[in-house]
Amino acid sequence: METEQIKKIIHDHRKIYPQVYALKPGAVSIQQVPRLQYVSQQMNTAFHMNWAINLS
């Protein structure tokens, strides 16, 4: 198969849905997005059962 025969599939949604990506009427405001902050948590899932304890 020659490379000239291979058709590239490009999913350019600007061409598929031009009404969504067209310029909208009205005023434009540019909003600044805050810097990303990452929160890490440690989760302790250990459940230690002491089966040797006699509760009677």
Side-chain angles (χ1 to χ4, degrees):
M1 178 181 263
E2 294 183 22
T3 58
E4 290 85 23
Q5 295 178 351
I6 298 173
K7 183 178 179 182
K8 291 184 181 180
I9 299 174
I10 300 173
H11 299 287
D12 191 357
H13 291 282
R14 294 174 295 176
K15 294 179 182 176
I16 299 172
Y17 304 107
Q19 68 275 11
V20 174
Y21 294 95
L23 293 175
K24 308 295 187 282
V28 175
S29 63
I30 299 175
Q31 299 177 350
Q32 296 293 328
V33 178
R35 266 185 96 172
L36 293 177
Q37 296 179 355
Y38 298 95
V39 177
S40 63
Q41 294 179 338
Q42 180 180 2
M43 186 167 58
N44 187 2
T45 59
F47 189 76
H48 302 288
M49 291 183 175
N50 191 353
W51 298 100
I53 296 177
N54 188 357
L55 298 176
S56 58

